[in-house]
């Protein structure tokens, strides 16, 4: 495979492989066409069930083209900095891993046409945007438009349909689509229209200020409900780094479609997807040193067990008749196992004592909260119960939060 490894940027939490950060829905803010009077909307959420998808990010919503006369967009933007500086000398592009079957289905509103929202087809095309400069503010507080670098990718509607040239067929499997991009795939755009690359200047991903996921109507080509479930976002190594690590590799980014099939390296336990460089063919007759050590340990343990039984049970007359005149006191043959059994039982008592010693007192604050807290802010002036306030309840369901003890006490004892 052309890639020796990737650098994970965002992956399912809570502890993805370094330097990746866990996906968080609170890192994203909706930037939909409602700012221009449209009705498209989007949101993000973290999957909690089933366990094999836990921690993945869902970008979902509804894309409408009727309100704005064919135009429409829905996006979620984040200004959380990438955990690695995306210098072009070190990295050659991005890898996006998307789950084929999302665990979330966006509700579909009633519609007179075949496709909700007025488009010609369902939403299958998405955009990853990167802004390398901070937008200026207008007097009314709105942000001015700036040049945005966009990479567009399309989710195939069927396994046998491959329309996106950046789809990595070698790594795509039954569960995930894997898309690879180069920096050249990011095209400069201004308010949805292409910009002359000479006027836009050089794309500098290391200066990323804001990045976002977008679903765009593409002039009424698509509309309706959508759900994009993201497993991970990774940075791909540059071609120079690949050739330095493997001088015989001459593949260019992204991976070309190869005629042979290779097994997919699934490193989901580390929350990363990377292509392993093909290992050399195993040498015939090679054996691991662990096999020899294991066999030697088996022989030694068997001889020790036989000697121990002979020492403990064979009468003195028999031992002396075969010429064994000295051996340790037989009492130790029974005392050592008895003491060992007592030591095993004592371990339980020791650990129980350590747990009791490390357990905080009932009046200590660590029984209520600690450094890993994620407290949902609730003001004293709010009289409405959290479960009666649909707006705050919907916000709180994006992630798992800790309710302040004062709020819980007030709701339980004062209401």
């Amino acid at each position: 495979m052309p890639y020796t490894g990737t650098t994970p940027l965002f992956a399912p939490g809570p502890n993805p492989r370094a330097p990746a950060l866990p996906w968080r829905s609170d890192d994203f803010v909706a930037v939909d066409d409602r700012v221009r009077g449209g009705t498209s909307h989007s949101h993000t959420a973290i999957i909690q069930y089933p366990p094999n998808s836990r921690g993945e990010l869902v970008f979902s919503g509804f894309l409408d083209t009727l309100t704005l006369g064919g135009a429409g967009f829905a996006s979620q933007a984040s200004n959380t900095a990438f955990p690695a500086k995306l210098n072009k000398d070190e990295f050659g592009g991005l890898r996006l891993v998307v789950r084929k079957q999302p665990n979330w289905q966006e509700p579909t509103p009633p519609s007179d046409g075949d496709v909700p929202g007025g488009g010609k087809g369902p939403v299958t095309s998405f955009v990853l945007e990167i802004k390398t400069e901070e937008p200026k503010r207008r007097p009314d507080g709105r942000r001015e438009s700036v040049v945005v670098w966009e990479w567009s990718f399309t989710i195939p509607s069927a396994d046998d349909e491959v329309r996106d040239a950046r789809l990595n067929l070698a790594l795509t499997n039954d569960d995930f689509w894997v898309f690879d991009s180069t920096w050249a795939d990011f095209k400069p755009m201004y308010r949805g229209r292409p910009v002359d690359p000479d006027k836009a200047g050089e794309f500098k991903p290391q200066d990323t200020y804001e990045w976002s996921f977008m679903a765009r109507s593409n002039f009424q080509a698509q509309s309706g409900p959508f759900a994009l479930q993201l497993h991970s976002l990774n940075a791909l190594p540059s071609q120079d780094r690949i050739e330095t690590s493997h001088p015989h590799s001459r593949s260019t980014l992204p991976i070309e479609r190869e005629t042979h099939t290779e097994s997919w390296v699934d490193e989901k336990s580390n929350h990363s997807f990377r292509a392993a460089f093909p290992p050399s063919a195993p040498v015939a007759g090679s054996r691991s040193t662990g096999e020899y050590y294991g066999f030697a340990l088996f022989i030694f343990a068997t001889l020790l067990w036989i000697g121990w039984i002979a020492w403990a049970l064979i009468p003195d007359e028999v031992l002396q008749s075969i010429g064994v005149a000295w051996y340790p006191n037989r009492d130790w043959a029974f005392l050592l196992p008895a003491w060992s059994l007592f030591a095993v039982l004592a371990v339980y008592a020791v650990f129980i004592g350590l747990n009791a010693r490390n357990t905080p007192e009932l009046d200590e604050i660590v029984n209520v909260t600690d450094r890993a807290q994620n407290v949902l802010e609730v003001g004293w002036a709010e009289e409405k119960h959290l479960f009666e306030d649909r707006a705050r309840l919907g916000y709180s369901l994006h992630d798992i939060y800790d309710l302040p003890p004062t709020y819980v006490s007030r709701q339980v004892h004062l209401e």
Side-chain angles (χ1 to χ4, degrees):
M1 302 290 289
Y3 298 127
T4 60
T6 64
T7 300
L9 302 177
F10 291 90
N15 298 309
R17 180 168 67 91
L21 298 175
W23 292 114
R24 287 184 58 89
S25 60
D26 290 349
D27 290 342
F28 292 87
V29 177
V31 183
D32 305 324
D33 60 17
R34 288 179 291 180
V35 298
R36 301 180 184 176
T39 57
S40 301
H41 61 270
S42 66
H43 48 266
T44 57
I46 302 299
I47 293 296
Q48 301 295 338
Y49 186 85
N52 63 338
S53 303
R54 183 173 298 159
E56 295 179 350
L57 179 74
V58 173
F59 165 50
S60 60
F62 186 85
L63 183 61
D64 176 75
T65 64
L66 299 175
T67 305
L68 297 180
F73 66 90
S75 68
Q76 290 283 322
S78 172
N79 56 11
T80 301
F82 291 132
K85 206 74 171 178
L86 300 181
N87 296 312
K88 290 185 176 180
D89 294 337
E90 300 181 20
F91 302 103
L94 297 178
R95 169 171 292 170
L96 191 63
V97 181
V98 180
R99 185 170 290 276
K100 286 187 175 182
Q101 297 296 332
N103 300 112
W104 169 260
Q105 186 174 2
E106 189 70 16
T108 303
S111 175
D112 296 334
D114 296 335
V115 180
K120 299 178 181 178
V123 179
T124 58
S125 179
F126 297 89
V127 176
L128 174 59
E129 296 184 333
I130 293 181
K131 292 181 180 178
T132 57
E133 57 179 313
E134 181 178 359
K136 297 180 180 179
R137 292 285 181 178
R138 299 177 180 177
D140 59 0
R142 297 172 58 187
R143 300 194 305 177
E144 295 183 355
S145 299
V146 296
V147 174
V148 180
W149 299 86
E150 297 184 355
W151 165 41
S152 178
F153 58 95
T154 301
I155 305 296
S157 58
D159 291 343
D160 57 350
E161 179 185 0
V162 179
R163 292 181 294 174
D164 198 310
R166 297 314 182 193
L167 181 63
N168 190 327
L169 296 179
L171 297 186
T172 294
N173 68 353
D174 294 337
D175 297 323
F176 297 98
W177 300 110
V178 181
F179 296 91
D180 289 344
S181 72
T182 64
W183 299 132
D185 293 327
F186 285 82
K187 306 300 182 182
M189 307 286 287
Y190 182 79
R191 302 189 68 174
R193 298 183 180 276
V195 178
D196 186 353
D198 295 333
K199 295 181 179 180
E202 181 185 2
F203 176 40
K204 299 180 180 180
Q206 67 272 18
D207 296 335
T208 298
Y209 169 76
E210 183 181 279
W211 54 283
S212 59
F213 294 103
M214 172 185 285
R216 188 163 49 202
S217 66
N218 295 329
F219 302 102
Q220 217 167 2
Q222 58 180 9
S223 67
F226 63 88
L228 183 70
Q229 186 164 326
L230 306 169
H231 177 273
S232 61
L233 178 64
N234 310 273
L236 297 171
S238 64
Q239 187 65 28
D240 293 338
R241 289 180 59 189
I242 296 175
E243 293 179 354
T244 301
S245 302
H246 303 279
H248 300 291
S249 175
R250 290 292 181 267
S251 300
T252 58
L253 297 174
I255 296 178
E256 300 293 338
R257 299 177 186 175
E258 303 179 12
T259 56
H260 63 284
T261 59
E262 301 186 41
S263 61
W264 185 53
V265 181
D266 183 359
E267 298 189 3
K268 192 172 188 303
S269 59
N270 290 329
H271 299 304
S272 67
F273 286 76
R274 60 179 181 174
F277 196 80
S280 57
V283 180
S286 62
R287 291 290 185 272
S288 170
T289 56
E291 298 180 17
Y292 302 111
Y293 292 148
F295 181 73
L297 181 61
F298 167 75
I299 296 297
F300 174 75
T302 302
L303 294 177
L304 180 62
W305 179 77
I306 294 175
W308 191 285
I309 295 299
W311 173 37
L313 301 180
I314 296 180
D316 295 341
E317 295 79 5
V318 176
L319 293 176
Q320 293 175 2
S321 64
I322 61 177
V324 179
W326 182 91
Y327 43 86
N329 192 327
R330 293 178 183 273
D331 294 341
W332 292 106
F334 301 96
L335 290 176
L336 290 178
W339 288 354
S340 300
L341 179 60
F342 176 78
V344 171
L345 298 177
V347 169
Y348 290 94
V350 170
F351 275 99
I352 292 175
L354 290 176
N355 289 335
R357 178 178 178 273
N358 295 329
T359 301
E361 298 295 335
L362 293 178
D363 57 351
E364 292 190 18
I365 189 62
V366 293
N367 290 318
V368 179
T369 183
D370 56 16
R371 292 178 298 176
Q373 64 178 345
N374 188 16
V375 178
L376 178 66
E377 296 182 2
V378 180
W380 283 99
E382 299 181 16
E383 298 295 337
K384 185 181 293 186
H385 193 283
L386 175 63
F387 294 99
E388 298 175 356
D389 190 339
R390 293 187 176 274
R392 293 191 61 81
L393 180 61
Y395 173 79
S396 66
L397 291 179
H398 285 188
D399 277 330
I400 297 178
Y401 287 89
D402 300 316
L403 292 178
T406 53
Y407 176 79
V408 176
S409 178
R410 183 176 60 178
Q411 296 295 336
V412 172
H413 301 292
L414 298 183
E415 293 294 334

